[in-house]
Amino acid sequence: AFAQDAVIFVIFLLCALLSRDLMKGKTPFTKIQVRRMKIAAVVLFAYVVFCSIWDPLLSAVVISNDTSLIAITSEPEPSGIRINIEAFLASCAFFLFSFILDYGRTLQQLSDESM
């Protein structure tokens, strides 16, 4: 839960910084905005990888100790790889958004140079 809260905090912070710059009238097509969205995507992807490693490991420890915390897991045995598909899709969306901002930055540079 701590990892999830930290990831959400970082993403909200990056989006708030982007929003603040937009409210000041700055263009979203800058290197810093592209970098912020890529950082958000990487943080989310790292969280997906962390969860796919941590969840089965935690399940194995809980089941091997035979404690009452077995109810946390949905499967009776630690088998297979679990992927947080929502976080993975959000990571893909942030990567896509960063590519769109980068493409817009390139188009804006070309437009400024042609004038």
Side-chain angles (χ1 to χ4, degrees), residues 18-92:
L18 174 82
S19 298
R20 182 194 62 173
D21 289 348
L22 291 176
M23 287 175 35
K24 288 182 177 180
K26 296 180 182 178
T27 179
F29 306 113
T30 60
K31 284 184 181 181
I32 186 117
Q33 305 304 355
V34 172
R35 190 172 344 130
R36 285 176 181 162
M37 292 302 105
K38 283 185 181 178
I39 290 171
V42 168
V43 166
L44 265 172
F45 187 75
Y47 174 70
V48 169
V49 171
F50 173 77
C51 285
S52 3
I53 294 170
W54 180 254
D55 286 345
L57 182 65
L58 181 65
S59 296
V61 169
V62 168
I63 290 173
S64 69
N65 288 337
D66 196 24
T67 63
S68 63
L69 295 176
I70 293 176
I72 291 176
T73 64
S74 61
E75 297 178 11
E77 317 183 352
S79 62
I81 296 175
R82 297 180 202 140
I83 296 176
N84 186 341
I85 194 71
E86 295 89 2
F88 178 73
L89 291 176
S91 174
C92 292

Side-chain angles (χ1 to χ4, degrees), residues 27-31 34 98-114:
T27 179
F29 306 113
T30 60
K31 284 184 181 181
V34 172
S98 72
F99 291 133
I100 291 170
L101 288 177
D102 194 35
Y103 182 66
R105 184 179 66 83
T106 303
L107 290 178
Q108 189 174 30
Q109 282 178 339
L110 292 173
S111 173
D112 291 346
E113 290 173 0
S114 69

